């Protein structure tokens, strides 16, 4: 396994841009009325696809801390096969 790079130390200007992007994304999520827990599931799924173990762990903890159930977190890789992640009537992704 390759060593991880500390972006904040090696390229602080890029790290600052990532933090800015994160804040912009959080504002868009809020404006779209997307549940915070579900937003963490989106980030977790992207991290699973990217194969980043650090981010998978981080977003799993964030999802659980925001009230997501272990059932929804655990079936995320197979989301198409489950009803845990389906839209609920009158809500945008809960």
């Amino acid at each position: 396994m390759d060593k991880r790079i500390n972006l904040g130390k090696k390229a602080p200007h890029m790290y600052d841009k990532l933090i800015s992007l994160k804040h912009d994304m959080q504002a868009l999520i809020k404006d779209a009325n997307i549940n915070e827990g579900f937003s963490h599931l989106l980030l977790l799924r992207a991290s699973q696809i990217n194969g980043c173990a650090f981010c998978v762990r981080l977003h799993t903890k964030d999802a659980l801390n925001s009230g997501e159930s272990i059932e929804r977190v655990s079936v995320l890789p197979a989301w198409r096969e489950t009803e845990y992640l389906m839209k609920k009537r009158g809500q945008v992704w809960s």
Side-chain angles (χ1 to χ4, degrees):
M1 181 172 113
D2 295 327
K3 292 184 179 181
R4 296 189 60 83
I5 296 172
N6 184 327
L7 193 58
K9 290 181 180 178
K10 294 289 184 181
H13 63 286
M14 289 182 68
Y15 182 77
D16 291 342
K17 288 180 181 185
L18 282 173
I19 295 302
S20 178
L21 178 63
K22 176 184 173 186
H23 291 151
D24 291 347
M25 184 187 68
Q26 288 171 329
L28 290 171
I29 287 168
K30 185 176 182 180
D31 289 346
N33 198 29
I34 295 174
N35 177 286
E36 179 188 0
F38 187 75
S39 71
H40 291 301
L41 292 180
L42 295 173
L43 293 168
L44 174 55
R45 184 64 187 134
S47 298
Q48 291 170 340
I49 292 167
N50 291 333
C52 178
F54 175 85
C55 294
V56 167
R57 190 182 76 218
L58 172 77
H59 296 307
T60 298
K61 287 179 181 181
D62 288 345
L64 293 171
N65 288 337
S66 68
E68 277 299 330
S69 68
I70 190 67
E71 288 83 8
R72 283 170 50 114
V73 170
S74 64
V75 299
L76 192 55
W79 66 270
R80 289 180 183 93
E81 302 294 325
T82 182
E83 294 182 13
Y84 283 115
L85 301 167
M86 302 298 287
K87 276 189 177 180
K88 291 184 180 178
R89 193 175 37 168
Q91 295 180 353
V92 178
W93 302 107
S94 62

